[in-house]
Amino acid sequence: MKAPYRLPLTPLPLAAAARGAVALAVPLLAGVVTGQVALAVLAGIGALWGVGQDGDDPYRQRVLRLGCTGGCAALGLLAGELALRSGRPGAVTCCLVVAALVAGAVSLRGRLASVAGLHLLLGVTVGGGIPVPGPWWQAPLALLCGVALVALLSATPWLWRRHAIERAAVRAVYRAASGALAAAGGPDAEPARRRLTAALDHAHRVLDRHLTGRERPGRGPDTLRTAFHTAVRLGEVTSALVWEGRELPRCVSRVPLLTAARLLPEPGRGAAAATAAAGPAGSAHPEGVPCAGSDSPALRALTALYTSCGPDRPRDATARLPAYPWHGRAAQVRYAVLLAGCVLAAQLCAVLLHGPRGYWLPMTVAFVYKPDFGPVFRRALHRCAGTVAGVAAIGAVTLLTTGTYALIGAVAAFAAVMAVGVRHHYALATTGLTAIVFVLVDLLGDHRELSWARILDTALAAAIVLVAHFALWPDSARGRAAARTRAAVSAAHRYRDLPPGAPAAERYALRRTAYHRLAEARRAVLDARREPGRAAREVPGLLDAEEAIAAAERLCDAVGAHHVGSAPDAYAPGAVRCTAAGAMGG
């Protein structure tokens, strides 16, 4: 069996680490200097959650996500605070259960809704677990200020690098196409083609607002739109060349880079200079480009694509990427009920055990039980490992120093660790978060020994989630993989069944949808394989899904090659039908 495909690791996010350190240190230092430590701690909690939702996506998306994070967290904090101040027995527990039902009901509707639901529940856990003196409105406002600080730090570079993220995403597509052409005919050809698909998906998401007609003509990054649409056509030609299964001359792999240099010149180099370096647009033999008289239609198509590309080329219409079709109303209701049940069990355990700061148990449940964020078992395992590592790390720090300013410096360092972990590994992110919370609790005046209590509470919360999830919803990951596989195969069939003479824009849209769904289905199958406790009868189902995805990918490659002209008549869409259907089980 082939090794599962994995996306390459992203570079170390030094800018995000610096933002995290500043966002946590500034409010705490301000609170110590002004004497408003309690409000500073709440602002630090807001900054902590903001760092967890900071990202490398376009600035508009960052601000929107951080705005939802802050707004919902502040609303939840207010509800929990009012329940705690009411003094009525069970008020906080009832508030937590209602928040969990709401969070579970909206979390499966999309990434932004999931983030909003998560932080609504987190806000209630903190508001109901930490008594805050002063007027009722101060705590939510302080929390909002912490999130706003992260948003400000994250979005400020927009002033001098407005579309740099979008340009980098589109350039990555051309680099991936170059790598796929260089790998053609070798063992790394198929993984390289998948990396190209992943790069196109990422660029499509990054440019989504600029591609779907929501901006008026003449506004926005016209060159980026042109470069992306050219990249979509380049993806079809590249897949056709990879599908041929033969090694290509080294000069062929330079064509995508030359095309990118013409359409997206590097800063400081004019378009004319880039075009001169790449070769004359109207030349039949531009430097590094295969001869238009080649025996391969795909090579001729590649040459034509390069010689005809330019910033004044008309743009095609582009549809939005499809949403994830793995859940329905029944799944949303089941998840909401299970999440509420887990939160209720955690809250009751916290009350019965009389543990310090009982919010830790329900808060851990809220973080762990996120099936839309990845395999639940791995998330629970990484949460426990990160908590142990965080307790050990902050214990080592307190052995060296207990000074207030030194601890704030440690918070800044752990915030940087968390920012890196958010992008690379959940256990690393949990390590930073756990250590930061220990310092925040200490600043509030609670100097009790909480190390073992935190570790045991985390393990108990993870056990509650795992027992509830695998006892009452054991097939969620496998069901998601099956649903996404069916959607991917259907999208491949729609691409295959496109009638001759259909507009090129429609063909490109169907092709993009098909490859996007196939990539999502492959990731869903990988997530299902990572869940424990699969019965032997379930393994063939995942194997069938993998075979269906691989067959659909080959089908899309063959259809694309047919449209480019590289596929012989035997691989025309009508003839590929039986081959693909047999591999998919009919």
Side-chain angles (χ1 to χ4, degrees):
M1 182 183 298
K2 293 181 180 179
Y5 168 67
R6 291 179 173 85
L7 292 176
L9 289 176
T10 56
L12 193 65
L14 297 179
R19 291 197 298 267
V22 172
L24 264 295
V26 166
L28 296 181
L29 287 173
V32 171
V33 171
T34 61
Q36 300 292 330
V37 177
L39 293 179
V41 167
L42 286 171
I45 292 174
L48 182 68
W49 292 344
V51 170
Q53 294 303 320
D54 191 15
D56 298 322
D57 42 354
Y59 300 107
R60 179 190 178 97
Q61 295 178 19
R62 295 187 201 180
V63 173
L64 179 61
R65 186 172 59 252
L66 288 168
C68 287
T69 297
C72 292
L75 181 62
L77 180 68
L78 177 61
E81 181 186 11
L82 294 178
L84 182 64
R85 292 190 179 199
S86 70
R88 297 177 181 176
V92 172
T93 301
C94 291
C95 189
L96 278 170
V97 172
V98 172
L101 286 171
V102 174
V106 304
S107 286
L108 300 186
R109 295 179 178 270
R111 183 76 178 186
L112 194 61
S114 182
V115 168
L118 169 65
H119 287 88
L120 175 71
L121 181 54
L122 291 177
V124 173
T125 62
V126 171
I130 300 179
V132 180
W136 60 268
W137 51 267
Q138 281 188 346
L141 183 60
L143 188 80
L144 273 175
C145 289
V147 180
L149 177 60
V150 177
L152 178 64
L153 293 173
S154 184
T156 298
W158 175 86
L159 296 174
W160 61 84
R161 54 192 304 265
R162 183 172 181 180
H163 295 304
I165 296 171
E166 292 88 339
R167 292 173 69 87
V170 176
R171 283 199 187 99
V173 178
Y174 288 90
R175 289 196 299 271
S178 177
L181 292 174
D188 193 42
E190 186 59 22
R193 203 273 304 151
R194 291 178 190 159
R195 285 192 289 271
L196 173 58
T197 297
L200 272 169
D201 281 349
H202 177 64
H204 200 160
R205 278 190 289 267
V206 166
L207 286 170
D208 179 67
R209 184 174 66 93
H210 305 296
L211 297 172
T212 53
R214 283 175 283 177
E215 287 193 349
R216 289 178 293 174
R219 299 285 298 274
D222 289 341
T223 57
L224 282 171
R225 283 191 285 263
T226 301
F228 176 78
H229 291 305
T230 303
V232 171
R233 293 188 289 273
L234 176 64
E236 183 179 63
V237 176
T238 300
S239 295
L241 287 167
V242 172
W243 182 86
E244 290 181 357
R246 60 172 178 170
E247 293 187 6
L248 299 171
R250 182 172 299 179
C251 63
V252 174
S253 64
R254 296 183 57 216
V255 177
L257 303 180
L258 295 172
T259 306
R262 172 171 292 163
L263 295 175
L264 294 173
E266 294 288 343
R269 296 183 64 190
T275 302
S283 172
H285 300 276
E287 181 185 356
V289 180
C291 174
S294 170
D295 61 344
S296 169
L299 285 177
R300 292 198 297 271
L302 185 64
T303 302
L305 178 67
Y306 174 79
T307 55
S308 64
C309 71
D312 56 347
R313 192 188 186 282
R315 299 190 303 269
D316 301 324
T318 302
R320 302 189 69 174
L321 285 176
Y324 304 147
W326 73 274
H327 57 78
R329 189 174 298 276
Q332 294 175 16
V333 171
R334 180 182 289 193
Y335 173 59
V337 172
L338 285 176
L339 179 61
C342 291
V343 168
L344 176 60
Q347 177 67 6
L348 292 177
C349 288
V351 172
L352 291 175
L353 294 174
H354 299 288
R357 302 298 184 185
Y359 62 86
W360 191 269
L361 269 162
M363 184 177 69
T364 302
V365 167
F367 274 121
V368 170
Y369 201 11
K370 296 293 294 178
D372 53 320
F373 282 10
V376 175
F377 178 78
R378 286 170 61 91
R379 195 169 177 85
L381 184 65
H382 292 166
R383 185 79 189 183
C384 292
T387 300
V388 173
V391 167
I394 195 62
V397 170
T398 54
L399 286 177
L400 298 175
T401 180
T402 56
T404 300
Y405 291 104
L407 289 178
I408 292 176
V411 165
F414 284 120
V417 170
M418 179 181 170
V420 174
V422 166
R423 292 157 179 80
H424 286 275
H425 203 284
Y426 183 59
L428 186 61
T430 302
T431 299
L433 182 145
T434 301
I436 291 170
V437 171
F438 266 81
V439 177
L440 296 181
V441 170
D442 185 76
L443 290 175
L444 285 175
D446 190 344
H447 305 300
R448 291 175 290 175
E449 174 57 45
L450 302 175
S451 301
W452 287 108
R454 290 292 183 251
I455 293 174
L456 294 176
D457 284 352
T458 301
L460 179 57
I464 291 172
V465 168
L466 293 178
V467 169
H469 180 70
F470 288 107
L472 301 176
W473 202 10
D475 59 343
S476 63
R478 192 165 58 92
R480 175 174 55 182
R484 289 191 176 178
T485 300
R486 288 193 296 269
V489 173
S490 297
H493 285 174
R494 287 194 297 272
Y495 176 48
R496 175 199 63 190
D497 296 334
L498 185 68
E506 182 181 358
R507 185 175 88 238
Y508 294 137
L510 289 176
R511 175 184 173 81
R512 281 269 52 245
T513 298
Y515 277 110
H516 170 70
R517 292 230 191 254
L518 287 166
E520 290 297 330
R522 191 172 286 279
R523 281 191 285 269
V525 170
L526 180 59
D527 285 347
R529 284 195 168 279
R530 289 172 173 169
E531 293 283 22
R534 296 191 309 273
R537 61 181 175 83
E538 294 180 347
V539 175
L542 294 178
L543 292 176
D544 291 343
E546 289 179 338
E547 291 176 0
I549 293 169
E553 286 175 338
R554 292 193 297 269
L555 171 63
C556 290
D557 290 345
V559 173
H562 171 76
H563 284 301
V564 172
S566 287
D569 293 340
Y571 291 98
V576 175
R577 185 188 308 270
C578 296
T579 303
M584 297 172 194

